[in-house]
Amino acid sequence: MGWSSRAGEIGASGWLGRSVAVVFVFAMAAASPAQAQRPAPTPTPLPLPNSEISATTGLADLGSNFLERLGDQSTGGFGRAWRSNPGGGGASEAADGPLYRTWGEAYGISTRTGPQLDFVGDRRQTAGGVAGIGARISAGINVGFSVDQSRTDIDVPLAMQSATLDLTQLGFNASVDRGPWTGAIALVHGFGNIKSIRDTGLGNAISGYTGQIDGALGEVSYFWTRNQGRIVPKVALEFVRASTGAFQEVGGLNPVAASGATLERSRMLLGAEIGRYWIVDQKVVDLSAYGKFVDNFEQDFGSVTVSSVFQSITVQGIGESRYGADTGASASVSLSNMVRIYLNYDGKFRAALQSHQGTVGLELRW
């Protein structure tokens, strides 16, 4: 009887131990998935360098604008007509005319770029001025030198970033006239300083870095005239390379460092200018307009690496669409054989970009 009671106690205690073990196993099994499903902490995402991408693109666009204005000085219909007929009133090409000229311009540019890849889009406002001097060094051969100084305000509101770009460009252009044909080249080298500001929510992160632009353009035009009107077909090849330096932000929350950026672009421009002049009160009034088809047949957008203490990412730069169009118009008044004032409009239209430029200028010849 004692043995039977002891066996019952042992059996009861064994059953109780097995029950506790089973409950413990189920509790651990239930807890393990809950722990496995708990999301790992995500690091704070790095801010993308929208302002640097915008500044690099802005450098390339300003270099292109300067190159194309220099090219137009050589192949533009009014300048070509003046070189062919410096004396005016039907004078021959051999007639003596002023050998030198100087010009000054003030201009403003408004540019808007749409979102592309990781870039959220921007607005750029540029104000600048140009001063130049040129000479006819031989029959049909002309050269010119000029300086372009500008400031661009860059706004990237969706990224809470902004920047200013102060740019100096040095330009050279030359042309050769042979009958109705003109061949021209233009070269540009520019350098500048960029200051970027990023609103972090806990103060501004500020950085400063440099920028550089180099470009070349070759253009050929054919000058066809009848009475007081003209048509000038043109074709040009252009190359620009823009680069910005690396930088380290200071201040704000989670300041980052970024590598330098580079953009290269090769394009063809094909189009024509039409124009006509009138003699009004012994002054020459000239109106013209142009249109060009643009083919960006090769572009290298480059990339930018952004890093902080905890992580780094690499993002691609942006460029223009493969195809686009340029258009513009000009009005000028020659107050005498020595003095001319003019107004220009130039527009650029791409899939994700629009740019509008207005220019007022004064030209003196002697």
Side-chain angles (χ1 to χ4, degrees):
M1 197 66 179
W3 181 87
S4 182
S5 175
R6 185 177 301 167
E9 291 176 1
I10 293 173
S13 61
W15 177 86
L16 180 61
R18 285 193 299 271
S19 298
V20 171
V22 170
V23 170
F24 179 76
V25 169
F26 275 104
M28 291 298 293
S32 296
Q35 290 179 354
Q37 292 172 3
R38 183 180 300 167
T42 302
T44 303
L46 285 176
L48 300 180
N50 281 270
S51 61
E52 183 184 16
I53 293 173
S54 179
T56 307
T57 304
L59 279 167
D61 291 345
L62 290 171
S64 288
N65 290 348
F66 194 27
L67 277 172
E68 291 165 22
R69 295 203 310 271
L70 291 174
D72 186 65
Q73 285 188 7
S74 299
T75 62
F78 182 87
R80 183 63 173 86
W82 186 90
R83 294 195 301 270
S84 300
N85 186 14
S92 69
E93 188 170 350
D96 291 334
L99 293 176
Y100 307 100
R101 65 187 185 94
T102 185
W103 67 94
E105 295 177 348
Y107 65 86
I109 306 173
S110 177
T111 304
R112 182 183 293 270
T113 308
Q116 300 178 51
L117 302 175
D118 296 314
F119 181 70
V120 297
D122 69 5
R123 295 192 298 265
R124 286 177 265 140
Q125 303 290 331
T126 302
V130 179
I133 187 169
R136 187 175 76 240
I137 60 175
S138 182
I141 300 177
N142 305 271
V143 297
F145 300 90
S146 53
V147 179
D148 183 323
Q149 182 67 49
S150 65
R151 163 165 280 204
T152 301
D153 293 321
I154 300 169
D155 186 21
V156 192
L158 294 182
M160 294 188 295
Q161 298 177 27
S162 61
T164 56
L165 165 61
D166 291 305
L167 180 64
T168 301
Q169 297 186 86
L170 308 176
F172 167 79
N173 63 318
S175 66
V176 177
D177 300 326
R178 290 293 181 265
W181 294 94
T182 296
I185 62 168
L187 303 173
V188 163
H189 171 70
F191 47 90
N193 295 302
I194 304 156
K195 180 181 179 181
S196 296
I197 300 175
R198 180 172 61 88
D199 185 353
T200 68
L202 292 175
N204 291 331
I206 301 173
S207 61
Y209 48 101
T210 60
Q212 182 171 308
I213 174 69
D214 293 284
L217 176 141
E219 189 165 3
V220 176
S221 67
Y222 184 87
F223 183 75
W224 180 87
T225 182
R226 182 171 183 179
N227 298 326
Q228 294 173 284
R230 63 182 181 273
I231 299 176
V232 188
K234 304 179 183 182
V235 61
L237 291 175
E238 175 191 298
F239 171 80
V240 294
R241 183 182 189 276
S243 61
T244 53
F247 65 84
Q248 169 67 60
E249 289 183 334
V250 177
L253 176 67
N254 190 26
V256 301
S259 66
T262 301
L263 186 154
E264 293 184 354
R265 180 173 64 213
S266 299
R267 63 167 49 148
M268 179 190 72
L269 302 100
L270 176 65
E273 171 196 331
I274 59 172
R276 193 180 192 281
Y277 74 89
W278 295 263
I279 307 298
V280 179
D281 194 22
Q282 298 184 335
K283 298 175 179 62
V284 180
V285 178
D286 187 270
L287 299 177
S288 65
Y290 72 86
K292 295 179 183 178
F293 166 75
V294 180
D295 179 4
N296 294 301
F297 58 85
E298 185 173 348
Q299 296 187 84
D300 182 358
F301 305 149
S303 60
V304 181
T305 299
V306 184
S307 58
S308 68
V309 176
F310 305 105
Q311 59 179 322
S312 66
I313 58 172
T314 299
V315 296
Q316 186 177 348
I318 62 169
E320 294 186 357
S321 56
R322 170 70 189 268
Y323 302 113
D326 291 354
T327 186
S330 178
S332 73
V333 178
S334 296
L335 303 177
S336 69
N337 198 37
M338 305 292 184
V339 181
R340 180 173 75 101
I341 57 175
Y342 53 92
L343 293 171
N344 296 339
Y345 164 77
D346 298 283
K348 298 181 182 296
F349 302 91
R350 309 290 187 266
L353 176 144
Q354 283 194 19
S355 174
H356 305 277
Q357 175 172 342
T359 304
V360 57
L362 170 67
E363 182 182 53
L364 305 176
R365 300 177 184 266
W366 71 96

